[in-house]
Amino acid sequence: MTFKTSFVALAVFAALSQSAAAQDAPDSSSNNKNKDIEKITVTASRMDKSPSSIPNTVTIIDRAQLEEQFRTTKDLSTIIGNLAPSFSPSRQKMSNTGETLRGRPPLIMIDGVPQSNPLRSGGRSGQTIDPAMIERIEIIHGANAMHGLGAQGGIINYITKKPTGDSEQVASFDVTVPDSMKSNGLSFGASYAFSGESEFIDMIGSVSYRNNGVYYDANHNVVGVDTTQGESMDSQSTDFFIKLGHNFDESRLELMVNHYTADNNGDWMPVAGDKPNGVPTGAVKETQPWEAANNQVTTTSLTYTHANIGGQQLNLQLFNQDFKAVYGGGCFDSFYDPSFEGSDQVIQCGVGSKGESLYYEQSRNASVKWGLKSSLIAKDIAGSGIDAAYGVDLFRDTTEQDLVKTGFSWVPESTYDNVAPYLQLDYDLIENLTLSTGVRYEHAELSVDDYKTLWGAGNKQIAGGSATFDETLFNVGISYKITPDIRVYTSYNQGFGMPDIGRILRDGKSFPGDNPNIDDSLALTPIVTDNVEVGADYQGKYLSAKFAYYRSATDFGSRLALNGDGFYDVKREKSMIEGIEANVTAYLTSNDDLGMNIAIQQGEYDSNGDNKVDTDLDGANISPNRINLFWTHNFDNDMSTRVQANYYMDRDFKNAAGNKYAEFDGYTTVDASFSMPLYTGTLSLGLQNLFNKDYFNYYSQTMGTNDRYFKGMGRTATIGYTLPF
């Protein structure tokens, strides 16, 4: 049995057609929603600004928008791409390697706590929290140094829920079935949340469980599995979240803890495809001969705020993140060591390129981050009209990656220490003209013990030591309100990041010479990214619009390059990305919004070291060009519908000689969803890939190999119910 496309489309669009009968209200609900957005302060700005006062492109995804997206998917990468199209389309896997914002990796945070791992990325920073715990998502587009390390493409800050002040409990359930209606494709989830307060404490907490079934493509074939980087199908995840707070007269103390786990069942093995002939990677029911890929992440923060310390607002945040990830295994030349040939400790699996007897092996990554963020915010200093935010950030990351079976160290234990004082100023030069400027000084030290690279990476003995880095980063922006509804702005921001240190340390080619040490490798040099942006916003009663042009450049960037074993190496090269972003929303009636989001970008890197960019960045390093369309309708009885389409444009990738080395055959997917009140709760129905489009995803087309040439998921239907009590 399958869903009939004509029936589904007719039902959805028949519901939408009723919007023609809606009557205009004196003040549209859409405009009220935008007014509510303006009341939100963007915590990631460090100055608690409203979105329209920041001289950068800012996207706020509020809870109402999240609820709309949850009807069809719980994948955060998909949701962000639907609403901020300069973000790469989701790979629909456990790994988010290659998912970029404006063509560069973003800094992902939970309540300001970094989730991205600066020393050994690993591609799992998008899998650290269940979406049910999120109140809103703040996205600041473009490189910046507001939170220090890692925001080369921008900042994505997940803001968790806050206590409501009322005693409340909410239970949610959802079930997703594929178009094939096969039982092993069934996915389901459940969450329970509570909120309340007493005289001394307020609290909010939740627990969730999600079970993902097998994914099917549009032809009802099992989507190929990624047993190396990590697979989200045939897996379970759990999340425990709690936030406790106490309000004093002028201050607040708050503790947040989130513990997230994701575990693949390990019951499916890949079947190699044939990319040149368009044959996708498949899957067969077979137990994996290694520990299945998994994630375990605990994020903790203790925050203290005081509204009046000498007339200034004080913010202090002590945080910790404990990250552990196991990656899937394989039969790799990279992991071979002659001392284990024929050993009972490993399982033999094949013959290598040089006739050696290979064995199954896999890696695991462990990272512990500690940090302290401090800031003081002073408004209208001495009546001058100047607002200031200043403070110092302290950060430490200790990371190691080893091999599970043999115990060899792949990435030696490395410690990154960072101290960063900063100052940010806002000044109204004249009425409606605001100057924003700031400076941040980064002092960082990387410490690495003596170690030896794996046999396959040269078996090199590398002398450890400490490398010190110092960078002064600047930003300046001007924002001018031409009218109360129209704003123009321009800005220059510098972002600071490190290349994936783990990939560099484990690659023997990073250390030439007879007696190499970490001081010999220029590849460890930090990345400084310059981002220039020009934009304009319009917010009227019947229309809102935003447009931005940006240019992002670095003289010594970090490009991911796929090697023969399917692992990524880091290439340090000059790169430049430029693009435009635009979104327009028309408020057709008090109940109807019709909108379009556009993201167009082009990026190149220097392939021959002549300090000139000449070769297109590939799909692991830049997002596709795309247009997102949507139509939402709210009925007077609290029912609502949304239809959205994602159009990914064709693209050719050319080398320095002008020859095409890769191509992307674009596609369009459509989602539709509906919600209605039922008894005291809310019932929702969502259809992802409504027309059951058959396609290879962006990553697979541009970076895939025969083992990673994956189809996208076919049509799925999700029914959910949320019950407050």
Side-chain angles (χ1 to χ4, degrees), residues 569-602:
D569 298 325
V570 173
K571 303 297 183 182
R572 304 301 310 273
E573 301 145 337
K574 180 176 183 176
S575 64
M576 190 277 290
I577 300 170
E578 60 182 347
I580 61 172
E581 296 173 339
N583 65 72
V584 179
T585 301
Y587 311 122
L588 302 179
T589 72
S590 61
N591 294 325
D592 288 270
D593 294 350
L594 181 66
M596 176 176 65
N597 300 321
I598 301 175
I600 307 292
Q601 55 189 288
Q602 178 66 41

Side-chain angles (χ1 to χ4, degrees), residues 210-258:
R210 182 156 302 282
N211 187 303
N212 290 327
V214 174
Y215 298 162
Y216 285 88
D217 64 22
N219 298 315
H220 301 167
N221 296 317
V222 177
V223 173
V225 294
D226 189 337
T227 55
T228 304
Q229 292 187 349
E231 179 58 59
S232 58
M233 86 171 198
D234 189 40
S235 68
Q236 297 88 40
S237 65
T238 60
D239 200 315
F240 169 80
F241 167 79
I242 191 164
K243 184 181 287 185
L244 307 173
H246 176 72
N247 292 316
F248 301 91
D249 289 339
E250 293 184 292
S251 60
R252 176 174 175 81
L253 183 66
E254 185 175 270
L255 173 69
M256 185 275 289
V257 179
N258 188 79

Side-chain angles (χ1 to χ4, degrees), residues 599-620:
I600 307 292
Q601 55 189 288
Q602 178 66 41
E604 294 181 306
Y605 69 93
D606 176 13
S607 66
N608 57 14
D610 65 355
N611 206 34
K612 296 179 181 178
V613 294
D614 52 33
T615 299
D616 289 342
L617 289 169
D618 58 30

Side-chain angles (χ1 to χ4, degrees), residues 29 151 163 237 242 367 389 422 424 463 493 545 568 575 592 622 688:
S29 60
S237 65
I242 191 164
S367 177
Y422 69 92
Q424 191 72 30
N493 288 271
Y568 284 97
S575 64
D592 288 270
I622 199 167
Q688 188 175 27

Side-chain angles (χ1 to χ4, degrees), residues 307-345:
N308 187 8
I309 299 290
Q312 303 177 72
Q313 177 183 324
L314 171 68
N315 297 316
L316 293 173
Q317 183 186 41
L318 175 67
F319 65 82
N320 168 257
Q321 190 214 39
D322 191 340
F323 172 91
K324 295 182 177 65
V326 173
Y327 299 88
C331 200
F332 305 123
D333 284 0
S334 297
F335 290 162
Y336 170 78
D337 190 285
S339 63
F340 274 84
E341 186 157 350
S343 170
D344 293 337
Q345 187 175 330

Side-chain angles (χ1 to χ4, degrees), residues 299-462:
T299 302
T300 307
S301 72
L302 181 64
T303 305
Y304 177 74
T305 58
H306 198 293
N308 187 8
I309 299 290
Q312 303 177 72
Q313 177 183 324
L314 171 68
N315 297 316
L316 293 173
Q317 183 186 41
L318 175 67
F319 65 82
N320 168 257
Q321 190 214 39
D322 191 340
F323 172 91
K324 295 182 177 65
V326 173
Y327 299 88
C331 200
F332 305 123
D333 284 0
S334 297
F335 290 162
Y336 170 78
D337 190 285
S339 63
F340 274 84
E341 186 157 350
S343 170
D344 293 337
Q345 187 175 330
V346 295
I347 301 174
Q348 306 299 316
C349 59
V351 179
S353 58
K354 298 178 181 179
E356 66 272 37
S357 298
L358 301 181
Y359 48 83
Y360 289 124
E361 183 57 286
Q362 62 188 131
S363 72
R364 59 189 164 203
N365 193 33
S367 177
V368 178
K369 291 189 278 290
W370 287 93
L372 175 66
K373 292 182 177 180
S374 64
S375 66
L376 282 163
I377 301 175
K379 300 288 188 179
D380 192 20
I381 300 174
S384 64
I386 297 176
D387 298 339
Y390 60 98
V392 62
D393 295 342
L394 308 176
F395 180 74
R396 164 170 282 196
D397 184 323
T398 302
T399 293
E400 182 179 16
Q401 187 173 15
D402 66 351
L403 303 185
V404 174
K405 299 295 183 182
T406 61
F408 287 132
S409 176
W410 196 14
V411 176
E413 183 173 284
S414 310
T415 300
Y416 177 87
D417 289 302
N418 179 254
V419 179
Y422 69 92
L423 171 66
Q424 191 72 30
L425 301 173
D426 272 10
Y427 178 54
D428 293 331
L429 296 173
I430 59 174
E431 186 177 2
N432 296 324
L433 180 64
T434 301
L435 171 68
S436 300
T437 186
V439 61
R440 182 182 177 98
Y441 176 72
E442 298 275 356
H443 173 76
E445 182 175 299
L446 175 67
S447 301
V448 182
D449 293 336
D450 295 346
Y451 72 101
K452 180 183 287 188
T453 65
L454 297 182
W455 181 273
N459 199 33
K460 291 186 177 181
Q461 184 67 47
I462 311 295

